[in-house]
């Protein structure tokens, strides 16, 4: 009789880069990771400028490769849509997996985000009051999807 493999031993830790200027949302995601018992590394950037610097290896800490980006739309200096456009212009980073996590339910924002190649547009109000359903979904995604090898550019 064949036994199913024990998936818990094969699971790689979830690596997240959260691009978010709201401290409360960052704390909520960290809490959700803890409460769901998901092993994860999370790095935070407060806007698109800082995120690109981290992703290009110009700032510490850098995320372990591969990683998933959770990016807000409404941020100072460089908003989420500007960040996505810059990211997709960078040959070494354009394949990074990005999910938008935002309060913006604006159809134009959604359209522009999908045109920039995001993997999903998630409204904060639909992500679960404590973000746990979102985190559990990302963890499942992380453990079944094959990611490209993305390294910082040598600019």
């Amino acid at each position: 009789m064949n036994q199913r493999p024990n998936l818990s031993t094969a699971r790689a830790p979830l690596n997240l880069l959260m691009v978010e200027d709201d401290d409360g949302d960052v704390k909520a995601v960290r809490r959700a990771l803890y409460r769901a018992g998901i092993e994860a590394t999370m790095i935070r950037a407060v806007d698109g400028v800082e995120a690109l610097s981290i992703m290009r290896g110009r700032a510490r800490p850098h995320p372990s490769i591969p990683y998933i980006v959770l990016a807000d739309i409404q941020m100072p200096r460089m908003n989420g849509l500007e960040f996505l456009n810059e990211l997709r212009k960078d040959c070494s980073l354009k394949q990074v997996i990005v999910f938008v996590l935002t309060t913006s339910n604006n159809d134009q924002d959604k359209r522009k985000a999908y045109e920039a190649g995001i993997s999903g547009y998630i409204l904060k109000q639909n992500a679960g009051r404590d973000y746990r359903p979102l985190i559990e979904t990302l963890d499942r995604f992380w453990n079944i999807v094959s990611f490209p090898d993305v390294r910082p550019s040598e600019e």
Side-chain angles (χ1 to χ4, degrees):
M1 195 159 147
N2 291 340
Q3 288 188 337
R4 296 175 73 187
N6 182 352
L7 295 179
S8 64
T9 60
R11 297 172 69 86
L14 175 63
N15 293 322
L16 290 174
L17 172 61
M18 188 165 185
V19 188
E20 172 65 65
D21 62 321
D22 185 290
D23 293 338
D25 287 332
V26 174
K27 287 177 186 175
V29 168
R30 288 186 198 276
R31 245 187 333 269
L33 287 165
Y34 176 78
R35 288 183 178 156
I38 294 171
E39 186 180 351
T41 301
M42 188 171 105
I43 296 172
R44 180 212 188 164
V46 296
D47 59 31
V49 172
E50 183 179 19
L52 288 170
S53 181
I54 289 169
M55 296 169 79
R56 290 174 173 152
R58 295 183 186 137
R60 293 217 185 267
H62 343 101
S64 296
I65 295 171
Y67 53 92
I68 294 174
V69 175
L70 280 178
D72 192 7
I73 294 285
Q74 301 164 341
M75 296 180 292
R77 283 202 303 174
M78 178 185 281
N79 70 38
L81 295 173
E82 294 165 335
F83 162 71
L84 287 167
N85 289 328
E86 282 299 311
L87 180 70
R88 297 309 183 210
K89 289 179 195 174
D90 187 316
C91 291
S92 67
L93 296 175
K94 67 182 176 184
Q95 295 178 348
V96 169
I97 305 298
V98 179
F99 288 91
V100 168
L101 178 61
T102 187
T103 57
S104 173
N105 198 12
N106 180 299
D107 281 335
Q108 187 175 359
D109 286 346
K110 291 177 194 176
R111 213 172 0 268
K112 286 180 180 178
Y114 278 108
E115 287 170 0
I118 63 164
S119 297
Y121 194 98
I122 304 159
L123 294 173
K124 290 179 181 179
Q125 54 269 34
N126 293 343
R129 195 181 75 183
D130 61 358
Y131 290 132
R132 189 167 172 173
L134 165 66
I135 293 304
E136 290 171 346
T137 300
L138 287 177
D139 186 54
R140 280 189 213 96
F141 179 88
W142 177 258
N143 282 285
I144 62 172
V145 172
S146 182
F147 293 84
D149 185 10
V150 180
R151 305 279 173 199
S153 61
E154 299 294 324
E155 294 177 9

